[in-house]
């Protein structure tokens, strides 16, 4: 008599049936029931004997599924468990599926030829977000690099991650956030090195495009020309009820004219398939276990084929260790890849090739500028780089109001990317819809940014999420439940949207510092009615808050209130220091004493920056400014800039002279005489002062000794002459604390000016008020305010 054995899927159904029937499944009464299915007219008792093949050891072997049992017993037990025995049985592969004389190379070539047209039509073009027409993959594709160690799986500490990241520096490297230090390997090299590869990556990192590129290269005989490329979107596969990969592949081949299923089985049994399984994370949660199980069975059965599976990093709970898959990670684009992508993109979507190349060059050059560093940090994945190119294409420049660009980037990551691909993610928390996810991210960003935390331990970020969940309308206060919910929500946001990422094992951050700053600004705006603006403006001298101010102003429908609060905060910084107020009085008086066609605030900024102790925008190279003055004089140009340059040179002439300098004020005082716009009286006074000095070309030691004995008096005389004729060069004798405060005050005023340039919605009246009162003493500002009130 023949025997039967349960399949792997059958064992799962058996275990499920056992759970439904209760734990007493080995009770002899079940054996009686099984025997009655064979001989229904006979009376059976628990004492036995039972029907042929029905016994307790047989029953146990059936439940374990480890060895075959008699066919009649197999069917009887399935009846007891209310299972269809045909769905439980393990069907052995057919013996000799093809005649032994069939040529495998001929079969493979036939399948390749018949599938060629379908592969080219389905996978040779790309449809980019917000672009109407598709583009040829080969015209846009950039070879990806991979990391052979998954960054989020590596142990590490926050101190290691912030090694190259200092947000308090004047020009800190924003790209140092989560910088990857391991070597990058070309993607195709990794495919050539591993027969079973698990390619992980962030959302929009180019995983699907990478697989399509491999399929096209194989189909065009440029890679693995003796294999059949088989591209399988796992989301589509999951929609098929029986989860049978062999049947799916056979149906795909049949649609191309490969009629015989035996040909498919022969090609796979001989290891001639290049099987590309795309988007494991896109499979619905309800189907994921079955899909993974089918992949495992298929890989074990057709082990000698080549397999590549793609999945988002945070969703890669199935790592296929037993099937010996090697896991790698798609790396962010480097500068070379960004430039290559931009060139391909603008050529593909411009009217002609030359225009596209020109626009691409402009894009790359402007992306390198310091002012666009925030945009550059986003443009490291294809999905956000495509958006950046699209925005740049409209005006050949990046928007001054970056908030709108970031908002569109987040819209892509949080909603549009999945929506355009027809992917519906499982909601992991019943009250956490898209709107609340945004509120949650703003809540997390504001708290962590306020603390100065750019990286946070898993338990820290979970606690912040738990605090948010507890305050939802139907939120629980049970700490155990909150801990479980916060972990699920954190993983879901990471896996589905990639806004929060795991930088090292158990250490998280926002995927881009820009997103943390943007959501911090959103939190400020959302809390607008709670007087949060007053809490924010206290950070106006903190360099790391600059971008938050820009973004908040860009998001606000009307920016007047925040700008006025910032101005009030800036003016208050030096309001109570009499010496600093006197300095501002001089700055204002000096700016009013000259007749220039520039805005008064611009002239005040210039004279403010003359103060040597601030070293603002000065490189301590007097010749640079002297050359500018001489150039203007030689050209007989009487532009007001000549007067500004002259004042700058004169101010530098009285800087403290180092012992090692042998021609300091002398060279300046002598060369200034060449400038034709200098007053004759000033020229004569300087000439008389010059006569006191030893010959500059004489003995250097004599000059040094003379300077040590007379330099202080001589410099004081020079200072007095410059003060008398130009009203510059005053020795303000500021303390170190005052110098530091003046620097912060200057930087804060510069921030205000920059804020007015970003395209925020500010009324003309407020803009004028701020511009007219920049760097004015507080008494003058109050008078100006009184005039505005009376008007």
């Amino acid at each position: 008599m023949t025997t039967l054995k349960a399949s792997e899927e059958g064992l799962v159904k058996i275990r499920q049936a056992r759970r439904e029937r209760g734990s007493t499944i080995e009770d002899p009464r079940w054996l009686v029931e099984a025997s009655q299915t064979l001989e229904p007219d006979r009376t059976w008792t628990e004492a036995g004997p039972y029907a042929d093949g029905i016994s307790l050891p047989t029953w146990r072997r059936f439940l374990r599924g480890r060895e075959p049992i008699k066919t009649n017993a197999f069917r009887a037990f399935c009846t007891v468990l209310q299972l269809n025995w045909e769905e439980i049985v393990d069907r052995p592969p057919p013996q000799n599926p093809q005649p032994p004389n069939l040529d495998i190379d001929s079969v493979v070539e036939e399948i390749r030829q018949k599938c060629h047209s379908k592969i080219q039509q389905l996978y040779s073009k790309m449809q980019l977000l917000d672009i109407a027409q598709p583009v040829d993959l080969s015209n846009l594709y950039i070879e990806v690099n991979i990391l052979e160690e998954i960054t989020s799986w590596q142990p590490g500490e926050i101190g290691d991650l912030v090694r190259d990241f200092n947000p308090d520096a004047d020009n800190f490297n924003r790209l140092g956030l989560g910088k990857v230090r391991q070597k990058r390997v070309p993607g195709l090299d990794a495919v050539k090195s591993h027969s079973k590869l698990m390619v992980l990556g962030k959302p929009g990192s180019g995983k699907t495009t990478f697989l399509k590129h491999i399929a096209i290269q194989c189909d065009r005989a440029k890679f693995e020309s003796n294999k059949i490329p088989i591209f399988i979107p796992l989301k589509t596969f999951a929609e098929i009820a029986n989860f049978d990969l062999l049947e799916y592949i056979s149906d795909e081949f049949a649609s191309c004219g490969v009629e015989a299923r035996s040909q498919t089985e022969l090609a796979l049994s001989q290891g001639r398939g290049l099987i590309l399984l795309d988007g494991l994370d896109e499979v619905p949660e309800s189907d994921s276990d079955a899909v993974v199980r089918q992949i495992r069975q298929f890989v074990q059965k057709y082990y000698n084929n080549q397999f590549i599976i793609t999945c988002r990093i945070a969703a890669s709970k199935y790592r296929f260790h037993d099937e010996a898959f090697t896991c790698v990670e798609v790396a962010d684009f480097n500068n070379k890849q960004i430039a290559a992508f931009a060139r391909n993109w603008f050529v593909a979507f411009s009217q002609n090739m030359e225009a596209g190349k020109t626009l691409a060059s402009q894009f790359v050059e402007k992306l390198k500028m310091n002012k666009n560093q925030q945009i550059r940090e986003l443009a490291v994945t294809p999905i956000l780089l495509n958006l950046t190119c699209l925005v740049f294409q409209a005006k050949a420049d990046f928007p001054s109001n970056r908030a709108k660009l970031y908002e569109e980037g987040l819209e892509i990551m949080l909603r549009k990317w999945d929506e355009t691909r027809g992917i519906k993610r499982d909601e992991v928390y019943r009250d956490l819809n898209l709107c609340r996810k945004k509120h949650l991210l703003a809540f997390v960003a504001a708290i962590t940014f306020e603390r100065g935390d750019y990286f946070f331990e898993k338990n820290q970020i979970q606690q912040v999420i738990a605090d948010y969940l507890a305050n939802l309308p139907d939120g629980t206060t049970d700490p155990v439940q909150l801990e479980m919910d916060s972990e699920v929500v954190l993983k879901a946001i990471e896996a589905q949207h990639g806004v929060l990422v795991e930088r090292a094992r158990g250490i998280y951050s926002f995927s881009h510092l820009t997103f943390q700053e943007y959501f911090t600004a959103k939190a400020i705006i959302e809390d607008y009615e709670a007087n949060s603006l007053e809490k924010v403006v206290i950070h106006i001298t903190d360099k790391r808050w600059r971008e938050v101010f820009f973004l908040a102003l860009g998001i606000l429908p009307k920016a007047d209130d925040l700008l006025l609060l910032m101005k009030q905060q800036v003016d208050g910084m030096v309001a109570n220091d009499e010496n600093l107020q006197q300095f501002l009085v001089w700055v204002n008086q000096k700016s009013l004493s000259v007749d220039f066609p520039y805005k008064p605030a611009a002239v005040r900024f210039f004279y403010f920056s003359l103060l040597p102790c601030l070293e603002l925008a000065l490189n301590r190279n007097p010749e640079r400014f002297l050359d500018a003055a001489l150039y203007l004089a030689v050209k007989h140009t009487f532009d007001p800039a000549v007067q500004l340059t002259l004042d700058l040179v004169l101010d530098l002439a009285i800087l403290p002279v180092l012992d090692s300098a042998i021609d300091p004020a002398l060279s300046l005082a002598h060369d200034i005489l060449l400038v034709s716009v200098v007053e004759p009286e000033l020229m004569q006074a300087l000439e008389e002062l010059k006569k006191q000095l030893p010959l500059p070309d004489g003995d250097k030691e004599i000059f040094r000794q003379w300077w040590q004995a007379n330099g202080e008096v001589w410099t004081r005389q020079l200072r007095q002459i410059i003060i008398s004729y130009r009203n510059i060069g005053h020795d303000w004798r500021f303390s170190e604390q005052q110098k530091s405060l003046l620097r912060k005050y200057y930087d804060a005023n510069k921030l205000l000016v920059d804020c007015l340039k970003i395209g925020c919605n500010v009324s003309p009246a407020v803009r004028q008020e701020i511009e007219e009162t920049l760097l004015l003493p507080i008494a003058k500002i109050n008078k100006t305010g009184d005039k505005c009130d009376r008007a």
Side-chain angles (χ1 to χ4, degrees):
M1 180 176 291
T2 60
T3 58
L4 296 177
K5 180 183 177 183
S7 66
E8 289 292 327
E9 289 185 5
L11 290 175
V12 173
K13 293 181 179 180
I14 291 171
R15 286 192 289 269
Q16 178 64 30
R18 290 181 63 190
R19 285 194 294 270
E20 293 175 356
R21 298 296 296 269
S23 60
T24 59
I25 194 67
E26 294 186 0
D27 190 288
R29 284 173 294 182
W30 299 113
L31 302 182
V32 171
E33 186 175 342
S35 299
Q36 288 176 340
T37 63
L38 294 177
E39 300 181 47
D41 296 331
R42 183 176 173 181
T43 300
W44 298 93
T45 65
E46 295 180 17
Y50 306 109
D52 184 36
I54 304 295
S55 66
L56 188 58
T58 304
W59 179 250
R60 288 173 176 166
R61 288 198 299 273
F62 173 76
L63 295 178
R64 288 195 298 268
R66 293 180 179 176
E67 59 183 85
I69 61 175
K70 292 181 179 181
T71 299
N72 63 344
F74 187 98
R75 294 181 179 180
F77 291 146
C78 287
T79 302
V80 171
L81 295 176
Q82 298 180 355
L83 296 173
N84 186 338
W85 73 271
E86 292 183 331
E87 296 178 356
I88 300 300
V89 69
D90 183 19
R91 299 183 182 276
Q95 301 296 320
N96 300 322
Q98 285 289 328
N101 60 348
L102 191 61
D103 182 12
I104 181 62
D105 291 331
S106 299
V107 171
V108 170
E109 186 58 31
E110 178 185 349
I111 296 176
R112 283 176 57 90
Q113 290 180 4
K114 289 183 176 180
C115 294
H116 170 76
S117 178
K118 185 173 185 178
I119 291 173
Q120 293 300 315
Q121 290 186 37
L122 290 181
Y123 310 126
S124 65
K125 291 187 178 295
M126 296 176 61
Q127 185 72 57
L128 301 180
L129 281 174
D130 298 324
I131 297 178
Q133 70 274 26
V135 61
D136 284 342
L137 184 82
S138 57
N139 292 339
L140 194 61
Y141 180 76
I142 300 298
E143 186 64 61
V144 302
N145 289 330
I146 62 97
L147 307 173
E148 294 184 314
E149 295 181 0
I150 311 303
T151 54
S152 62
W153 297 357
Q154 306 306 309
E157 297 181 356
I158 291 179
D160 300 328
L161 297 173
V162 298
R163 190 186 313 161
D164 299 326
F165 182 72
N166 180 17
D168 295 323
D170 287 337
N171 292 306
F172 73 92
N173 178 19
R174 299 172 62 91
L175 299 179
L177 178 69
K179 184 178 180 180
V180 176
R181 297 177 178 84
Q182 62 172 292
K183 181 181 177 181
R184 298 164 181 252
V185 178
L188 276 180
D189 287 356
V191 174
K192 293 174 183 176
S193 302
H194 305 285
S195 62
K196 296 179 180 62
L197 202 62
M198 183 85 165
V199 179
L200 308 177
K202 294 176 290 191
S205 58
K207 302 181 294 295
T208 297
T209 305
F210 178 52
L211 281 198
K212 288 183 176 180
H213 172 71
I214 292 174
I216 293 297
Q217 293 297 99
C218 179
D219 182 64
R220 294 176 179 174
K222 296 180 180 180
F223 176 74
E224 297 288 4
S225 58
N226 65 336
K227 293 183 179 178
I228 305 167
I230 305 169
F231 186 94
I232 303 176
L234 289 174
K235 180 179 76 71
T236 303
F237 171 72
E239 295 170 356
I240 300 174
N242 62 358
F243 301 126
D244 189 324
L245 274 171
L246 178 59
E247 184 175 341
Y248 181 93
I249 295 171
S250 298
D251 289 345
E252 286 291 299
F253 286 175
S255 68
C256 299
V258 181
E259 297 296 337
R261 175 167 172 158
S262 56
Q263 288 184 305
T264 302
E265 295 189 39
L266 175 63
L268 293 175
S269 66
Q270 296 298 314
R272 304 296 284 272
L274 175 57
I275 301 166
L276 311 171
L277 304 170
D278 183 49
L280 183 59
D281 58 283
E282 297 174 4
V283 176
E285 187 69 26
S286 58
D287 298 327
S288 60
D289 287 343
V291 170
V292 168
R293 187 165 53 251
Q294 170 59 200
I295 293 174
R296 284 176 171 159
Q297 292 175 0
F298 190 86
V299 171
Q300 291 170 1
K301 184 174 182 178
Y302 299 105
Y303 59 89
N304 53 349
N305 290 271
Q306 187 162 6
F307 295 87
I308 306 176
I309 306 173
T310 65
C311 183
R312 291 185 179 181
I313 295 177
S316 59
K317 61 181 179 180
Y318 305 109
R319 298 177 185 172
F320 299 97
H321 285 317
D322 292 342
E323 289 71 33
F325 272 78
T326 299
C327 294
V328 297
E329 177 181 348
V330 177
D332 288 342
F333 276 177
N334 56 29
N335 291 335
K336 184 178 180 181
Q337 289 171 307
I338 291 172
F341 182 96
R343 181 185 182 279
N344 291 352
W345 194 98
F346 286 108
V347 168
F349 298 110
S350 296
Q351 294 181 348
N352 59 73
M353 180 177 293
E354 290 306 315
K357 289 180 179 179
T358 300
L359 201 54
S361 297
Q362 295 173 357
F363 174 88
V364 172
E365 289 305 312
K366 292 196 174 185
L367 198 62
K368 292 178 181 177
M369 295 180 178
N370 287 334
K371 67 177 183 179
N372 294 322
Q373 195 179 66
Q374 291 85 353
I375 297 176
R376 187 164 72 248
E377 76 179 63
L378 292 183
V380 294
T381 58
I383 187 173
L384 293 178
L385 182 52
N386 169 65
L387 170 65
T388 311
C389 291
L390 189 62
V391 170
F392 187 89
Q393 187 183 45
K395 296 182 179 179
D397 203 353
F398 298 112
S400 56
N401 185 354
R402 293 192 288 265
K404 295 180 180 178
L405 173 62
Y406 304 156
E407 184 176 353
E408 179 61 23
L410 285 164
E411 181 70 8
I412 288 173
M413 298 186 71
L414 292 173
R415 182 186 62 84
K416 191 181 292 185
W417 183 233
D418 279 349
E419 192 175 85
T420 55
R421 303 171 73 198
I423 300 170
K424 292 184 178 181
R425 304 285 180 181
D426 296 308
E427 287 296 336
V428 297
Y429 192 80
R430 65 182 184 278
D431 292 322
L432 202 62
N433 54 29
L434 180 58
C435 181
R436 281 188 172 152
K437 283 179 182 176
K438 291 180 179 180
H439 288 160
L440 168 61
L441 289 168
F443 183 78
V444 171
I447 291 176
T448 55
F449 193 84
E450 179 78 30
R451 294 174 181 168
D453 294 340
Y454 300 98
F455 301 93
F456 15 84
E457 301 281 353
K458 182 180 180 182
N459 62 334
Q460 293 176 323
I461 191 66
Q462 281 188 216
Q463 183 58 56
V464 176
I465 293 173
D467 292 343
Y468 177 85
L469 297 178
N471 288 313
L472 290 176
D474 297 325
T476 180
T477 58
D478 178 22
V480 176
Q481 186 63 46
L482 281 173
E483 182 179 0
M484 291 190 296
D485 289 346
S486 63
E487 183 174 12
V488 171
V489 169
L490 173 61
K491 211 63 182 175
I493 292 176
E494 181 190 7
Q496 296 178 14
H497 310 305
V499 180
L500 293 173
V501 296
E502 193 172 8
R503 297 290 185 182
R505 193 181 303 162
I507 300 177
Y508 285 79
S509 79
F510 280 82
S511 57
H512 304 283
L513 175 57
T514 291
F515 288 160
Q516 188 177 15
E517 292 167 333
Y518 174 85
F519 277 117
T520 300
K522 286 284 287 183
I524 293 170
I525 305 309
E526 291 170 359
D527 199 26
Y528 185 92
E529 299 298 329
N531 297 320
S532 65
L533 297 186
E534 285 84 351
K535 304 173 187 175
V536 173
V537 294
I538 63 174
H539 298 291
I540 199 165
T541 60
D542 192 339
K543 292 181 178 66
R544 68 188 189 90
W545 280 81
R546 283 177 58 86
E547 186 68 10
V548 175
F549 282 113
F550 292 148
L551 294 173
L553 290 165
I555 295 170
L556 278 170
K558 194 170 182 63
D560 288 4
D561 290 346
L562 180 53
L563 281 169
L564 289 173
L565 281 173
M566 292 170 65
K567 181 64 167 61
Q568 181 180 344
Q569 180 75 15
V570 173
D571 293 334
M573 292 172 61
V574 295
N576 298 322
D577 191 309
E578 186 61 30
N579 200 20
L580 299 185
Q581 286 296 304
Q582 286 300 316
F583 172 65
L584 294 179
V585 169
W586 169 79
V587 169
N588 186 46
Q589 290 175 345
K590 179 60 182 174
S591 65
L592 295 174
S593 68
V594 292
D595 184 18
F596 296 144
Y598 307 126
K599 289 184 177 181
V603 182
R604 289 197 295 273
F605 264 103
F606 174 81
Y607 283 110
F608 187 103
S609 66
L610 283 182
L611 190 65
C613 67
L614 293 180
E615 302 177 16
L616 297 172
L618 301 180
N619 63 1
R620 296 301 189 123
N621 183 1
E623 289 77 11
R624 171 184 173 187
F625 304 103
L626 180 60
D627 289 343
L630 291 174
Y631 174 80
L632 293 170
V634 170
K635 293 294 183 181
H636 305 290
T637 304
F638 295 96
D639 188 282
V642 174
Q643 296 292 337
L644 295 178
T645 305
L646 178 60
D647 282 341
L648 180 57
V649 172
L650 289 170
D651 190 67
L652 286 167
I654 58 174
L655 289 174
V657 182
L658 300 175
D659 288 344
S660 59
I662 61 173
D663 58 349
L666 170 65
S667 295
L668 287 171
H670 174 74
D671 290 337
I672 284 170
L673 300 179
L674 300 177
V675 183
S676 60
V677 296
V678 178
E679 300 93 324
E681 295 83 359
L682 174 58
M683 294 175 65
Q684 183 178 354
L686 292 173
E687 185 65 33
E688 292 296 325
L689 191 62
K690 171 190 171 185
K691 292 178 182 178
Q692 300 179 21
L693 296 169
L695 293 175
D697 297 330
D699 191 306
K700 294 181 181 180
E701 183 58 31
I702 292 176
F703 183 87
R704 186 185 302 277
Q705 292 176 4
W706 182 93
W707 186 262
Q708 289 177 348
N710 305 287
E712 184 177 350
V713 175
W714 190 92
T715 302
R716 189 160 53 244
Q717 291 175 332
L718 175 60
R719 181 187 297 276
Q720 189 58 49
I721 291 172
I722 295 174
I723 291 173
S724 299
Y725 286 97
R726 306 295 299 189
N727 190 23
I728 60 174
H730 297 277
D731 185 7
W732 294 100
R733 298 185 182 276
F734 292 133
S735 67
E736 290 302 319
Q737 183 178 359
Q738 288 173 321
K739 292 176 184 179
S740 175
L741 183 58
L742 275 175
R743 180 181 292 277
K744 292 179 179 179
Y745 175 74
Y746 179 91
D747 288 342
N749 276 280
K750 182 65 167 57
L751 173 62
L752 275 173
V753 174
D754 292 339
C755 286
L756 293 174
K757 296 178 182 178
I758 65 167
C760 59
N761 186 13
V762 54
S763 66
V766 169
R767 179 184 292 274
Q768 181 180 357
E769 177 183 346
I770 292 174
E771 288 181 348
E772 290 183 351
T773 58
L774 288 167
L775 297 175
L776 282 180
I778 197 69
K780 186 70 175 176
I781 292 174
N782 291 337
K783 288 182 180 180
T784 304
D786 292 341
K787 291 178 182 178
C788 293
D789 292 340
R790 287 195 296 271

